[in-house]
Amino acid sequence: MQEVVLRLRAAGCVFAEGEAALLVEAADTPERLDELVRRRVSGEPLEQVLGWAAFCGLRVLLEPGVFVPRRRTELLVREALAACRVRTAPVVVDLCCGSGAVAAALRAALPGAQVYAADVDPVAVACARLNLPPDRVLEGDLYDALPRGLRGAVDVLAVNAPYVPTGAIGTLPPEARDHEPRVALDGGADGLDVARRVAAGAPEWLVAGGALVVETSAEQAPVLASTFGDCGLTPEVARCDDLEATVVVGIAG
């Protein structure tokens, strides 16, 4: 294992010891271990190399080329759960679902809930179907993916839309910009293009008192909260310093 640690350190992996232990555990032969280490040293995200990501106490299966769930997105799950607690058998939709991590966490925490997930990227959809009932994972552009019967019936829309400004994509770590899909990162000129579309469509899909919960950055939150208000939603900003996470919640009238 020490050889693996040295190879990872030489490649700039900050947590080489911990990563080495996970890679050794994942490999059933020396040849397989060498393959996994080579992939990691080349810059591929550890989670894609392992085939899973830790998220909200779950092991979420992950495929190459799929957005890696971040720990900060646990705030999105927390706020979505808070919005669901007052409802019996809530209908929950995870838009821009990627691997389906948010939907999987909500489904685990809400027995009896109807949980759907949707993404425009077919690679992400295929991955999410490994983590969720396949018939509840839908492919399409935002609300276009959803069954018409959900219109006006959704209690919570949980959305981790892309919110990196186009001009900042090049400043992302190579793990993200080289190995995660651009569609999961690029939010347009100010990072809020997709979130605006989500907010504009939300009132049509939410029940009265239903919640739209969207992850964003601390800098973008005031603009997004204003957008929620313009769309007829009552906005509130939630922040968790420990997770370095920000979420905007909008309640439908």
Side-chain angles (χ1 to χ4, degrees):
M1 179 165 141
Q2 189 59 30
E3 179 187 348
V4 175
V5 171
L6 293 175
R7 290 174 66 185
L8 294 174
R9 279 182 183 163
C13 297
V14 177
F15 304 106
E17 289 82 359
E19 292 193 13
L22 290 169
L23 292 169
V24 168
E25 179 186 350
D28 52 2
T29 66
E31 293 75 19
R32 175 64 173 160
L33 178 60
D34 184 63
E35 176 194 352
L36 296 181
V37 174
R38 282 191 288 105
R39 288 173 60 189
R40 180 64 183 127
V41 166
S42 73
E44 191 171 344
L46 176 67
E47 294 85 355
Q48 291 181 3
V49 174
L50 294 174
W52 59 271
F55 184 75
C56 289
L58 304 176
R59 275 197 176 191
V60 177
L61 298 179
L62 202 64
E63 297 286 333
V66 176
F67 182 80
V68 177
R70 272 64 161 174
R71 185 166 176 260
R72 63 174 173 265
T73 303
E74 293 185 7
L75 178 63
L76 177 68
V77 173
R78 189 186 307 168
E79 293 297 321
L81 286 174
C84 287
R85 293 301 186 192
V86 298
R87 300 180 180 274
T88 302
V91 176
V92 182
V93 175
D94 173 10
L95 284 182
C96 306
C97 71
S99 65
V102 169
L106 293 171
R107 187 169 179 266
L110 295 167
Q114 299 180 54
V115 180
Y116 296 84
D119 202 289
V120 71
D121 181 359
V123 177
V125 168
C127 182
R129 285 176 175 158
L130 300 175
N131 294 304
L132 298 161
D135 62 336
R136 291 297 179 94
V137 183
L138 311 164
E139 182 180 337
D141 184 22
L142 299 181
Y143 301 107
D144 290 346
L146 303 184
R148 300 300 98 182
L150 292 184
R151 194 186 303 267
V154 177
D155 294 290
V156 174
L157 286 164
V159 188
N160 187 12
Y163 59 90
V164 180
T166 302
I169 295 292
T171 68
L172 293 175
E175 288 185 4
R177 68 172 186 260
D178 295 340
H179 296 279
E180 293 182 304
R182 180 83 176 226
V183 70
L185 301 171
D186 192 341
D190 67 350
L192 294 175
D193 283 1
V194 180
R196 288 190 184 91
R197 293 177 55 212
V198 169
E204 182 181 352
W205 291 87
L206 290 170
V207 300
L212 170 63
V213 188
V214 180
E215 180 176 311
T216 189
S217 71
E219 295 75 19
Q220 293 165 324
V223 176
L224 187 56
S226 178
T227 298
F228 278 25
D230 293 342
C231 294
L233 303 168
T234 302
E236 180 179 339
V237 177
R239 172 73 185 170
C240 177
D241 291 333
D242 288 344
L243 295 174
E244 298 184 350
T246 304
V247 164
V248 180
V249 180
I251 304 300

